[in-house]
Amino acid sequence: MRTARALFTATVAAVAAATVLSAPASASEGQDSTLELMLVHGDQVRRTTLTCQPHGGTHPNGPAACADLQQAQGNFANLPGAKDKSCTMEYNPVDAKAMGTWRGAPVEFNRHFGNPCTVNAAMGPVFRF
């Protein structure tokens, strides 16, 4: 798992550097919303990039994920999630991580969940990839 964290940190640093170096100077510069998302489930590591305003990246459900983040004002703790979803008490741990920017402000999120269902219930489409 230590290797996955090091790889994630290196990937995010490279994305951030590329974003800073290639970003055009404009009035909307402070509105950048690009996030590198990662799920670590045992030895399996899945990652995707989410860009909002305009939608982009590799996230398979970008518009819905951006809508939830917009509603939460970029605060992962306030994501609406799937309120009507119930999960078993099975212990099958998953770490959900995010790094990047939301409307120009730095974002770093790391939370441990008991199983994949609880990630989906709490985080909704943001970590559904």
Side-chain angles (χ1 to χ4, degrees):
M1 190 129 82
R2 181 174 263 191
T3 304
R5 286 186 185 137
L7 184 57
F8 177 69
T9 302
T11 301
V12 170
V15 168
T19 301
V20 169
L21 294 175
S22 66
S26 71
S28 65
E29 206 170 64
Q31 298 297 310
D32 182 38
S33 297
T34 301
L35 300 161
E36 183 77 21
L37 305 172
M38 183 168 74
L39 289 168
V40 179
H41 186 207
D43 290 338
Q44 182 183 20
V45 178
R46 295 184 348 214
R47 60 179 55 64
T48 191
T49 303
L50 175 65
T51 302
C52 302
Q53 302 167 345
H55 298 296
T58 58
H59 196 291
N61 200 5
C66 288
D68 273 14
L69 279 165
Q70 175 69 32
Q71 182 179 341
Q73 298 179 356
N75 185 342
F76 282 77
N78 294 335
L79 284 171
K83 301 295 182 211
D84 59 345
K85 182 119 176 127
S86 59
C87 298
T88 64
M89 297 297 288
E90 166 196 15
Y91 186 68
N92 189 5
V94 179
D95 290 319
K97 304 175 183 209
M99 289 182 73
T101 58
W102 178 260
R103 294 196 169 180
V107 171
E108 188 170 340
F109 173 81
N110 186 4
R111 185 167 165 198
H112 184 77
F113 292 90
N115 60 50
C117 179
T118 58
V119 175
N120 185 34
M123 303 280 103
V126 173
F127 281 99
R128 204 174 292 146
F129 57 89

